[in-house]
Amino acid sequence: MTTQATDAHPVTVDFRTSPRRYRHWRLETDGPVATLTMDVDVHGGLVPGYELKLNSYDLGVDIELYDATQRLRFSHPEVKVVVVTSGKEKVFCAGANIRMLAAASHPWKVNFCKFTNETRNGIEDATANSGQVYIAALNGTASGGGYELALACDHIMLIDDRSSVVSLPELPLLGVLPGTGGLTRVTDKRHVRRDLADYFATRPEGIGGRKAVAWRLVDELVPRAQWQEKVSERAVATAQRSARAAAGGGPGIELTPLDKTRSGDAIGYAYVSATLDSERGVAEITVTGPDAEVPSAIADTRALGARFWTLAMTRELDDLILDLRTNEPEIGTWVFRTRGDAARVLGYDALLLDNRDDWLANEIIGYLKRTLKRLDVTSRSLIALIEPGSCFAGSLLELALAADRSYMLDGPPPDDPDSKERAAICLGPANIGPLPMADGPGSPAAPLPMANGLSRLATRFYSDKSGFTAAADAAGRDIEAAEAEELGLVTFAPDDIDWDEEVRIAVEERSSFSPDALTGMEANYRFTGPETTETKIFGRLSAWQNWIFYRPNASGPDGALRKYGTGQRADFDRKRA
Amino acid sequence: MTTQATDAHPVTVDFRTSPRRYRHWRLETDGPVATLTMDVDVHGGLVPGYELKLNSYDLGVDIELYDATQRLRFSHPEVKVVVVTSGKEKVFCAGANIRMLAAASHPWKVNFCKFTNETRNGIEDATANSGQVYIAALNGTASGGGYELALACDHIMLIDDRSSVVSLPELPLLGVLPGTGGLTRVTDKRHVRRDLADYFATRPEGIGGRKAVAWRLVDELVPRAQWQEKVSERAVATAQRSARAAAGGGPGIELTPLDKTRSGDAIGYAYVSATLDSERGVAEITVTGPDAEVPSAIADTRALGARFWTLAMTRELDDLILDLRTNEPEIGTWVFRTRGDAARVLGYDALLLDNRDDWLANEIIGYLKRTLKRLDVTSRSLIALIEPGSCFAGSLLELALAADRSYMLDGPPPDDPDSKERAAICLGPANIGPLPMADGPGSPAAPLPMANGLSRLATRFYSDKSGFTAAADAAGRDIEAAEAEELGLVTFAPDDIDWDEEVRIAVEERSSFSPDALTGMEANYRFTGPETTETKIFGRLSAWQNWIFYRPNASGPDGALRKYGTGQRADFDRKRA
């Protein structure tokens, strides 16, 4: 398969932005109602070679959307409803830009879809867990990814102007699937009957009017003349019903620009750093614990704002994950270390978890949850190294629990054999919910669940109740290497004589395997247990889409993606597989 | 990607066989204990070009295994335990043959994996629903698909001879995934911790001895000297615990050779027929209802044996599905019709369902269930046409409920406008369990569940309780087209004026779409709702495997599958996607 322009994309993509720099979205708030208006700059594509007509989007457009959803949560606690609409006439959004997709390399396409999916899952998360309810106000046609954006909203209003429709034209026009959860959400979330959903997804001209309501594709059809009024009414009524408390306690905090340094082989922030070894295909990532005592009261977190350790660290980790995923596809193994004071990490956790009714505490925990989920769906091998001086405790222990494998040194630091210092890990409420652990595995109280709805600890001991209980019983105290291995909390616990060699082999071996097979294996193992819309999107829908994207029927010279808009028909290999 | 010898495979694969024709397996019974011995004929490959060394298998070997599992259920009701073992020294089974896989076309690989998965799911089904408990007696190393065969068994015994191990070497040696459920069963069924499972699946030399037991990879380690004795003891003890009734009522029935005719464009059996239109890519399949009155007592079914309508029809349908899937990859759309007396179909259903404690009735229902599941995972578009004279009632209505779309004619037959005959469908206990329907959607009593554990009707109305109830309330009576559409039981109900045109467009349109995208869409829509090991295998694991199979890192000229055994290393594109 030929790779295209974006394969050697000329820019290192930067995920940092802010509303004043947006080119494609407007974010306005009016008391409890925010309006997010999509008005894509046709000439504002992230890489050259395509025009973003009809509110179609590329990664750059979606980076702004992600930024807006984050700022709504942190800087606008008064907002209870977010109306997503379009600044164009007669078109809401035409979905991902086809020429961009046709020219993109396979890894770029896959990574782009993953990020856009995460942002849409985040919209659902804001609706469910922050009481910021998203309403899609479709003032024109929503096709493909445009309709999928609407599907992520809690309520879909469609203008009744005899021309606006919703559609999923990917299959008939492009020979691919809707890439951001459309198939799953149509049936599993909106309960469109599957045979009607089949018809809908093969009909490029879409469905509007009363049929769209009858089939549950949209919730409401609004006459053109009453559009503004009905959208306002809906927003106000939704705000009144919102579970969000009355912005208990003052204004939001500012998400100040991330202080980041980046060279070819190093990325640094205040609490997170990474060194990149292109030859070995390895990123060595270190997360540093809090550098200050735990604030004495939750109100202090508001004054600290973006400098508060948990929030600062989470923002940095989030940016690093996005940066490495997008810009460093050949760095296939991420090795995680931590450094710092475990007790402080637990103290910061406790401050947040004891104050979950505080809106900011709730947002910080939720953001850490989403960032760890982003790690879970990252197509890189994750290895945690637990050494003396580390602070894999509570929220930071989740990094080790998210890893495909963890190695814990059973002995002194290799470079200081006389040291009495030993590595220890510590489970806390961030890992298993309020202590003492009452609800058993899968406790809904676990504050950092994976996409499958379970905590990483419960997933680790899936259906092994006694293993889970033994581990959870050890919560709140330091666990050294031999016991951690015995309890099944780490994969291996080599002693100081074997440590270097064993870790080296684990990392090098990873680089020798097929990157594709590793991605497939990890995607399967990381989602043991129950399934949710999210796991279906990342575990199943994405896998099919990756396959379809890669096949010549879509991406080959005669494939549908490449022939779109040329006036020529795609030439399909008709063999079913 | 270059396709290989088997792409234009010289033989039309025939799935019909019987124990006396086996080349690779021996089936022996001794009272309640059956032994299935794998002893693959090195030179007995289905197509030329590879040797089946070390009990490695190809489709031909697995066709015999499938036949054996079916005959155990129908011809050996006295069997309560099936011991699966090897006739070779020191090797149980080396899994799917690598040279066969390396040379196979992509559709062949995918279809091969699907069939082998179905057979292993059938082994678990026999253990769970027929009380024929499978024990894997690994008298030598079980690698890859060999270990996956063991994973499908209820209990795994491994010989302790200091050399025999279990392994999943696909990832490190071949750059692909274990293709028959290995990753899912290791974690979700056997509860191997996911980090240990990761280590295991990257270690081509495998794991044996006490570690294999401690990690739950096997259940039991048996010293070489006690092997025969311990296997016998285990078999006898398992038989004593079996839920299977004492073979209530005489000997098994013979699965007589299927009477089948096949030409390039037609396949015929007694109750099932298909005409193949290669140009349009369409198979028109007709299933005929019973040609005799319902037997008055369940005992009569034993006398009729393989001639009993439900069993005969199911066997024919099963063979047709396997034939078309394997031999006709370009026939992308299957159109289903039925013809016959709906009341008789319901009568046959009732005879079976009212006698589920009869072993043969239980087996026939279970076989129909598995055959319909095979249809659900078939990568072809399924369209049901419901016309006057059809008998889409009860068990045969499941064909329409399994379809991606159904069209029901609202009017007289197109060729006889004066006729008073109208199409009707009828829901019965086969669709929703015992009537009156008491347990609500997803009733465990539904006798023909899909892989997701729900009936097709419950899946259709997933989370739409009122829709399900309205449909179920109409059970037991004829439902004509307009009402069927209103109740959501069919997709569309065109009148006789529109019928021909609308059906023609639906079928032709299907042939114009990308076959890959159709496969992906159908695989997603068909599994709405809850997930099980089976849906994970077909919905997720298979999708990843298909993608990996297709990528050059596996199947390209320098890919791992092609380089295996050459002494050269694969050359990987290291970009993660």
Side-chain angles (χ1 to χ4, degrees):
Chain A
M1 185 177 141
T2 1
T3 48
Q4 300 292 314
T6 45
D7 192 19
H9 49 88
V11 288
T12 296
V13 179
D14 193 337
F15 286 78
R16 293 172 298 172
T17 187
S18 68
R20 83 194 52 164
R21 293 165 55 201
Y22 292 174
R23 295 183 69 171
H24 309 295
W25 291 89
R26 287 193 302 277
L27 171 57
E28 294 147 316
T29 65
D30 178 10
V33 177
T35 303
L36 253 176
T37 305
M38 188 178 203
D39 198 356
V40 175
D41 177 351
V42 174
H43 305 293
L46 190 65
V47 291
Y50 50 85
E51 296 190 332
L52 296 173
K53 290 178 185 167
L54 297 173
N55 262 3
S56 63
Y57 58 84
D58 68 356
L59 181 60
V61 177
D62 231 60
I63 286 173
E64 293 183 5
L65 174 60
Y66 174 54
D67 184 77
T69 63
Q70 289 288 96
R71 292 189 190 270
L72 280 165
R73 297 175 87 147
F74 283 99
S75 306
H76 299 282
E78 76 284 4
V79 166
K80 300 179 177 180
V81 172
V82 183
V83 176
V84 183
T85 193
S86 157
K88 309 273 190 228
E89 274 293 306
K90 296 237 174 194
V91 62
F92 172 72
C93 166
N97 187 273
I98 316 299
R99 295 198 184 284
M100 177 278 292
L101 278 180
S105 72
H106 185 66
W108 180 276
K109 281 200 277 278
V110 170
N111 183 59
F112 167 72
C113 285
K114 187 170 287 175
F115 177 71
T116 53
N117 268 307
E118 289 169 322
T119 301
R120 280 134 196 82
N121 292 346
I123 284 173
E124 290 186 329
D125 183 77
T127 299
N129 298 315
S130 292
Q132 287 192 337
V133 179
Y134 279 68
I135 294 177
L138 309 182
N139 52 333
T141 287
S143 359
Y147 177 53
E148 289 177 293
L149 176 57
L151 284 171
C153 297
D154 193 57
H155 187 86
I156 305 177
M157 308 175 79
L158 175 63
I159 197 165
D160 187 9
D161 59 2
R162 288 159 189 266
S163 74
S164 293
V165 298
V166 298
S167 70
L168 292 176
E170 287 88 343
L171 185 142
L173 293 189
L174 308 172
V176 300
L177 300 186
T180 38
L183 298 184
T184 303
R185 286 202 178 86
V186 163
T187 53
D188 283 46
K189 179 180 182 180
R190 297 195 59 89
H191 310 309
V192 177
R193 232 175 52 220
R194 77 173 176 89
D195 54 341
L196 301 177
D198 178 294
Y199 179 78
F200 172 60
T202 60
R203 191 182 159 87
E205 61 272 38
I207 292 178
R210 278 175 297 177
K211 187 182 274 185
V213 178
W215 287 16
R216 300 194 188 127
L217 296 166
V218 307
D219 294 292
E220 188 175 0
L221 197 66
V222 179
R224 191 181 178 80
Q226 299 164 35
W227 178 250
Q228 288 302 342
E229 175 194 343
K230 290 284 180 190
V231 170
S232 291
E233 277 176 21
R234 171 67 59 182
V236 169
T238 305
Q240 282 164 354
R241 281 203 326 273
S242 162
R244 191 170 181 86
I253 64 160
E254 196 193 337
L255 295 177
T256 49
L258 276 185
D259 190 13
K260 175 180 181 179
T261 57
R262 195 190 202 294
S263 67
D265 57 3
I267 302 175
Y269 312 83
Y271 301 105
V272 176
S273 66
T275 58
L276 316 182
D277 183 337
S278 301
E279 199 160 321
R280 290 162 63 229
V282 176
E284 310 242 10
I285 299 168
T286 303
V287 179
T288 308
D291 53 359
E293 287 303 317
V294 184
S296 55
I298 191 68
D300 299 341
T301 58
R302 238 159 288 165
L304 287 164
R307 286 172 294 141
F308 179 72
W309 175 76
T310 315
L311 178 54
M313 181 275 293
T314 302
R315 289 183 71 204
E316 294 170 9
L317 183 61
D318 191 23
D319 186 75
L320 179 69
I321 295 170
L322 293 171
D323 183 332
L324 291 179
R325 282 201 327 205
T326 307
N327 299 311
E328 306 291 346
E330 300 208 4
I331 302 282
T333 304
W334 295 0
V335 175
F336 278 92
R337 290 185 179 80
T338 58
R339 187 144 301 274
D341 181 341
R344 272 195 191 159
V345 175
L346 295 171
Y348 275 74
D349 285 356
L351 180 68
L352 295 172
L353 294 172
D354 293 346
N355 292 283
R356 290 202 71 170
D357 53 349
D358 177 88
W359 74 266
L360 182 55
N362 182 54
E363 286 306 336
I364 295 172
I365 296 165
Y367 185 22
L368 177 58
K369 174 192 74 179
R370 296 192 299 282
T371 303
L372 290 165
K373 282 186 181 184
R374 210 194 275 291
L375 198 55
D376 293 330
V377 299
T378 291
S379 57
R380 303 291 190 280
S381 296
L382 308 175
I383 296 179
L385 299 184
I386 307 172
E387 297 160 306
S390 66
C391 55
F392 282 102
S395 51
L396 288 191
L397 180 60
E398 291 291 314
L399 294 172
L401 295 172
D404 299 301
R405 288 194 211 168
S406 52
Y407 290 79
M408 186 166 181
L409 173 53
D410 186 11
D415 56 358
D416 185 5
D418 299 327
S419 167
K420 296 255 179 282
E421 196 178 7
R422 295 292 179 269
I425 59 174
C426 186
L427 285 163
N431 312 110
I432 45 181
L435 298 178
M437 192 268 308
D439 295 353
S443 159
L448 301 170
M450 303 176 69
N452 65 5
L454 303 183
S455 68
R456 282 174 193 77
L457 196 72
T459 302
R460 187 174 185 81
F461 293 105
Y462 182 60
S463 288
D464 173 10
K465 214 167 178 173
S466 67
F468 179 85
T469 306
D473 282 347
R477 63 176 175 80
D478 280 359
I479 305 169
E480 294 195 356
E483 187 185 6
E485 186 181 30
E486 177 69 28
L487 285 170
L489 291 167
V490 299
T491 317
F492 298 112
D495 63 24
D496 48 319
I497 296 165
D498 294 335
W499 176 257
D500 281 347
E501 180 74 355
E502 203 166 316
V503 166
R504 187 184 61 72
I505 288 172
V507 173
E508 282 185 3
E509 179 189 71
R510 213 76 182 180
S511 304
S512 74
F513 296 145
S514 158
D516 304 332
L518 283 172
T519 294
M521 178 182 74
E522 291 154 4
N524 278 279
Y525 278 160
R526 290 180 192 169
F527 295 107
T528 298
E531 296 266 352
T532 64
T533 295
E534 277 185 56
T535 63
K536 283 190 183 179
I537 287 171
F538 291 117
R540 175 203 289 180
L541 188 57
S542 297
W544 284 110
Q545 178 78 317
N546 291 358
W547 176 68
I548 294 162
F549 268 156
Y550 201 69
R551 298 262 290 166
N553 282 341
S555 297
D558 297 322
L561 263 182
R562 304 275 285 277
K563 287 294 183 195
Y564 181 73
T566 63
Q568 299 170 291
R569 288 184 63 148
D571 184 18
F572 294 132
D573 173 354
R574 301 228 59 85
K575 280 194 285 300
R576 279 285 196 124
Chain B
M1 184 176 141
T2 2
T3 48
Q4 299 291 316
T6 47
D7 191 21
H9 50 87
V11 289
T12 296
V13 179
D14 193 337
F15 286 79
R16 293 172 297 172
T17 187
S18 68
R20 83 194 51 161
R21 292 166 55 201
Y22 292 174
R23 294 183 68 172
H24 309 296
W25 291 88
R26 288 194 301 277
L27 171 56
E28 294 147 316
T29 65
D30 178 10
V33 177
T35 303
L36 253 177
T37 305
M38 187 178 204
D39 198 355
V40 175
D41 177 350
V42 174
H43 304 294
L46 191 65
V47 291
Y50 50 84
E51 297 190 332
L52 296 173
K53 291 177 184 167
L54 297 172
N55 261 3
S56 63
Y57 58 84
D58 67 355
L59 182 59
V61 177
D62 231 61
I63 286 173
E64 293 183 5
L65 174 61
Y66 175 54
D67 185 76
T69 62
Q70 289 287 97
R71 291 188 192 271
L72 279 164
R73 297 176 86 147
F74 283 98
S75 306
H76 298 281
E78 77 284 3
V79 166
K80 299 178 177 180
V81 172
V82 183
V83 176
V84 184
T85 194
S86 157
K88 309 272 190 230
E89 275 293 306
K90 297 237 174 193
V91 61
F92 172 72
C93 166
N97 187 273
I98 316 298
R99 296 199 184 283
M100 177 279 291
L101 278 180
S105 72
H106 184 68
W108 180 276
K109 281 201 276 280
V110 171
N111 183 59
F112 166 72
C113 285
K114 188 170 287 175
F115 176 71
T116 53
N117 266 309
E118 289 169 322
T119 302
R120 280 135 197 82
N121 292 346
I123 284 174
E124 289 186 329
D125 182 76
T127 299
N129 299 314
S130 291
Q132 287 192 336
V133 179
Y134 278 67
I135 294 177
L138 310 183
N139 53 333
T141 287
S143 355
Y147 178 52
E148 289 177 295
L149 177 56
L151 284 171
C153 297
D154 192 57
H155 187 87
I156 305 178
M157 308 175 79
L158 176 63
I159 196 164
D160 187 9
D161 60 2
R162 290 159 189 265
S163 75
S164 293
V165 298
V166 298
S167 70
L168 292 176
E170 287 88 343
L171 185 142
L173 294 189
L174 308 172
V176 300
L177 300 185
T180 37
L183 298 184
T184 303
R185 285 202 177 87
V186 162
T187 53
D188 283 46
K189 180 180 183 181
R190 297 195 59 91
H191 310 308
V192 177
R193 232 175 52 220
R194 77 172 176 91
D195 54 342
L196 300 178
D198 178 294
Y199 179 78
F200 173 60
T202 60
R203 191 182 158 87
E205 61 271 39
I207 290 179
R210 278 175 297 176
K211 188 182 275 185
V213 178
W215 286 18
R216 302 196 186 127
L217 296 166
V218 307
D219 293 292
E220 182 174 6
L221 197 67
V222 179
R224 192 182 178 81
Q226 300 164 35
W227 178 250
Q228 289 303 342
E229 175 194 344
K230 290 283 181 190
V231 170
S232 290
E233 277 176 22
R234 171 66 60 182
V236 169
T238 305
Q240 282 164 354
R241 282 202 327 273
S242 162
R244 191 171 181 84
I253 64 160
E254 196 193 338
L255 296 176
T256 50
L258 277 184
D259 190 14
K260 176 180 181 179
T261 57
R262 196 190 200 294
S263 67
D265 58 3
I267 302 175
Y269 312 83
Y271 301 106
V272 176
S273 65
T275 58
L276 316 183
D277 183 337
S278 301
E279 199 160 324
R280 289 162 64 229
V282 176
E284 311 243 9
I285 299 167
T286 302
V287 179
T288 307
D291 52 0
E293 288 303 317
V294 185
S296 55
I298 191 68
D300 299 341
T301 58
R302 237 158 289 165
L304 287 164
R307 286 172 297 140
F308 180 71
W309 174 76
T310 314
L311 178 55
M313 181 276 293
T314 301
R315 290 183 71 204
E316 294 169 10
L317 184 60
D318 191 23
D319 187 75
L320 179 70
I321 295 170
L322 292 172
D323 183 333
L324 292 178
R325 283 203 323 207
T326 307
N327 299 311
E328 306 292 346
E330 300 208 7
I331 302 282
T333 303
W334 295 359
V335 175
F336 278 92
R337 289 184 180 82
T338 58
R339 187 143 301 277
D341 181 340
R344 272 196 191 158
V345 175
L346 294 170
Y348 275 73
D349 286 355
L351 180 68
L352 294 172
L353 294 171
D354 292 347
N355 291 282
R356 290 202 72 170
D357 53 350
D358 178 88
W359 75 265
L360 181 55
N362 182 54
E363 287 306 338
I364 295 172
I365 296 164
Y367 185 24
L368 178 58
K369 174 191 74 179
R370 296 192 300 282
T371 303
L372 290 165
K373 282 186 180 184
R374 210 194 277 289
L375 198 56
D376 292 330
V377 299
T378 291
S379 57
R380 303 292 190 277
S381 296
L382 308 175
I383 295 179
L385 299 184
I386 306 171
E387 298 161 306
S390 65
C391 56
F392 283 102
S395 51
L396 288 190
L397 180 60
E398 290 292 313
L399 294 173
L401 296 173
D404 300 301
R405 289 193 210 168
S406 53
Y407 290 80
M408 186 165 181
L409 173 52
D410 187 10
D415 57 358
D416 186 5
D418 299 326
S419 167
K420 296 256 180 284
E421 195 178 8
R422 294 292 179 272
I425 59 173
C426 187
L427 284 162
N431 312 111
I432 45 181
L435 298 178
M437 193 267 309
D439 296 352
S443 159
L448 301 171
M450 303 176 68
N452 64 5
L454 303 183
S455 68
R456 282 174 193 76
L457 196 72
T459 301
R460 188 174 185 80
F461 293 104
Y462 182 60
S463 288
D464 173 9
K465 213 165 177 175
S466 67
F468 179 86
T469 306
D473 281 347
R477 63 177 176 78
D478 280 358
I479 305 169
E480 294 194 357
E483 189 186 6
E485 186 181 31
E486 178 69 29
L487 286 170
L489 290 167
V490 300
T491 316
F492 299 113
D495 64 24
D496 48 318
I497 295 165
D498 295 334
W499 175 257
D500 281 346
E501 181 73 356
E502 203 165 319
V503 166
R504 186 185 60 75
I505 288 172
V507 173
E508 283 186 3
E509 180 190 68
R510 212 76 182 179
S511 304
S512 74
F513 296 145
S514 157
D516 304 331
L518 284 172
T519 294
M521 179 183 74
E522 291 154 3
N524 279 278
Y525 278 159
R526 289 179 192 170
F527 295 106
T528 298
E531 296 266 350
T532 64
T533 295
E534 277 185 56
T535 64
K536 282 191 183 180
I537 288 172
F538 291 118
R540 174 203 290 183
L541 189 57
S542 297
W544 283 110
Q545 178 78 316
N546 291 357
W547 177 68
I548 294 162
F549 268 156
Y550 200 69
R551 297 263 289 166
N553 282 341
S555 297
D558 297 320
L561 263 182
R562 303 276 284 278
K563 287 294 182 194
Y564 181 72
T566 64
Q568 297 171 292
R569 288 184 63 149
D571 183 19
F572 293 132
D573 173 353
R574 301 228 59 85
K575 281 194 285 300
R576 280 283 197 127

